[in-house]
């Protein structure tokens, strides 16, 4: 195209991101250009902009790159050989990379793909710009009638929550109880996904009374300020500090499922002789699979899951990140470029 666009980029390790003028990406065979309708901001963006360069380089990330990994928009150009999406179609974009051909990918476990350390918005160009390029149609999730302006967070916050519920689901048969620790963006989604897809009794845990009220409104059966009880069938810990891990494990029954989502840096103490429930499964997850993104988009299309959004213009993205960092947002921040 030869045109340029503003993009909010990590320009060098250890430096704050900057708004930079960059070329609109050219579209090669098999590729698709999407005009961004909305891009969600994620707490992990803050982590990656403050991350030491050695970590980013060890992960294979290339600077500079455009931030933003919760992207949805409309197809504006398709490369040669693209037949499954058309110009004008609303799509969301997957953020994690995956090869599509390794044993994990072929089994639908693309969240474990060894080629998944980079993603759109972390190590590759993301959605905080007018346009974003999809390397192949494997990256695209058609949205149907769902509004692409607010669909981006479904691909990361929504899909990660869905993945957590899926990894706990085997223990959530009739009469089961599940505890969700941390009712922020992901926790709110986890409660909705549990309500929509299981009959489990849902106990929401958060120290903030407003968030507890929110959890009850979204379908939790009970909302408490800290984990209590025993013989719980599954725990989804979205905080992940020492105290939540310890209390969550103490509440879990033998053979239950503990899913660790939160990046709070907590550890597992004394794994032998009483520290961990016997025969429990402990699943650390970092990102969703494509199937999770697809499933949560389908739930959103039926109205069973929704994301509360606070909109920002691209010019206000630095202010939006400050609000995210300060914890003053009222919903998921979404930048409308
Ligand atoms: Zn994220
Ligand atoms: Zn793979």
């Amino acid at each position: 195209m030869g045109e340029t666009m503003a993009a909010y980029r990590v320009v060098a390790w250890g430096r704050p991101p900057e708004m930079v003028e960059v070329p609109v990406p050219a579209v090669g065979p098999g590729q698709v250009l999407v005009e961004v309708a909305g891009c969600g901001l994620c707490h992990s963006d803050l982590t990656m902009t403050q991350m030491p360069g050695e970590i980013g380089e060890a992960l294979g990330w290339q600077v500079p790159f455009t931030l933003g990994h919760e992207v949805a928009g409309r197809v504006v150009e398709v490369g040669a050989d693209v037949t499954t999406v058309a110009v004008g179609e609303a799509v969301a974009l997957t953020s994690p990379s995956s090869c599509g051909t390794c044993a994990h990918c072929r089994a639908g476990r693309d969240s474990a793909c060894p080629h998944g350390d980079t993603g759109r918005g972390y190590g590759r160009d993301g959605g905080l710009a007018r346009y974003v390029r999809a390397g192949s149609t494997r990256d695209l999730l058609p949205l149907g009638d769902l509004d692409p302006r607010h669909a981006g967070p479904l691909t990361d916050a929504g899909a990660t929550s869905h993945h957590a519920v899926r990894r706990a689901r085997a223990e959530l048969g009739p009469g089961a109880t599940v505890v969700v620790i941390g009712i922020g963006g992901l926790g709110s989604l986890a409660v909705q996904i549990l309500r929509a897809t299981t009959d489990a009794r849902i106990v929401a845990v958060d120290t903030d009374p407003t968030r507890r009220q929110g959890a009850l409104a979204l379908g939790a059966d009970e909302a408490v300020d800290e984990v209590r009880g025993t013989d719980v069938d599954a725990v989804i810990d979205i905080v992940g500090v020492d105290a939540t891990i310890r209390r969550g494990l103490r509440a879990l029954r033998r053979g239950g499922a503990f899913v660790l989502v939160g990046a709070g840096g907590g550890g597992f103490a004394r794994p032998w002789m009483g520290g961990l429930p016997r025969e429990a499964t402990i699943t650390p997850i970092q990102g969703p699979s494509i199937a999770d993104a697809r499933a949560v988009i389908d739930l959103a299309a039926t109205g069973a899951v929704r994301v509360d959004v606070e909109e920002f213009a691209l010019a206000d993205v630095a202010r939006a990140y400050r609000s995210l960092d300060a914890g003053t947002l009222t919903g998921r921040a979404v930048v409308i470029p």
Side-chain angles (χ1 to χ4, degrees), residues 42 44 69-70 156 332:
C42 177
S44 68
H69 58 262
E70 295 191 339
D156 178 48
R332 194 81 170 168

Side-chain angles (χ1 to χ4, degrees), residues 232-257:
V232 163
D233 300 280
V235 174
I236 297 174
D237 183 357
I238 303 175
V239 180
V241 298
D242 283 333
T244 58
I245 292 172
R246 191 176 60 247
R247 287 183 187 141
L249 287 170
R250 200 189 292 149
L252 194 65
R253 68 159 160 78
R254 291 184 174 194

Side-chain angles (χ1 to χ4, degrees), residues 173-260:
T177 296
V178 56
V179 171
V180 181
I181 307 174
I183 310 296
L186 269 70
S188 303
L189 283 154
V191 168
Q192 295 177 74
I193 293 163
L194 285 161
R195 186 74 300 148
T197 62
T198 76
D199 293 324
R201 174 174 173 75
I202 303 165
V203 180
V205 180
D206 203 290
T207 52
D208 180 337
T210 311
R211 287 177 162 197
R212 292 201 295 273
Q213 277 304 319
L216 293 171
L218 293 172
D221 297 287
E222 195 183 336
V224 293
D225 62 348
E226 71 172 46
V227 182
R228 299 186 202 111
T230 52
D231 279 333
V232 163
D233 300 280
V235 174
I236 297 174
D237 183 357
I238 303 175
V239 180
V241 298
D242 283 333
T244 58
I245 292 172
R246 191 176 60 247
R247 287 183 187 141
L249 287 170
R250 200 189 292 149
L252 194 65
R253 68 159 160 78
R254 291 184 174 194
F258 184 92
V259 184
L260 179 66

Side-chain angles (χ1 to χ4, degrees), residues 40-45 48 69-70 95 122 155-157 160 186 286 288 332:
L41 306 189
C42 177
H43 214 273
S44 68
D45 297 340
M48 64 182 81
H69 58 262
E70 295 191 339
S95 58
Y122 44 103
T155 65
D156 178 48
T160 301
L186 269 70
Q286 270 182 35
R332 194 81 170 168

Side-chain angles (χ1 to χ4, degrees), residues 122-139:
Y122 44 103
R124 296 190 291 125
D125 286 341
L128 287 177
R130 177 92 184 265
Y131 298 101
V132 67
R133 180 176 55 198
S136 81
T137 52
R138 177 177 164 79
D139 297 356

Side-chain angles (χ1 to χ4, degrees), residues 259-285:
V259 184
L260 179 66
V261 184
F268 290 81
R270 223 162 47 90
W272 185 240
M273 298 299 269
L276 298 181
R278 282 189 206 183
E279 302 286 333
T281 57
I282 296 176
T283 309
I285 69 171

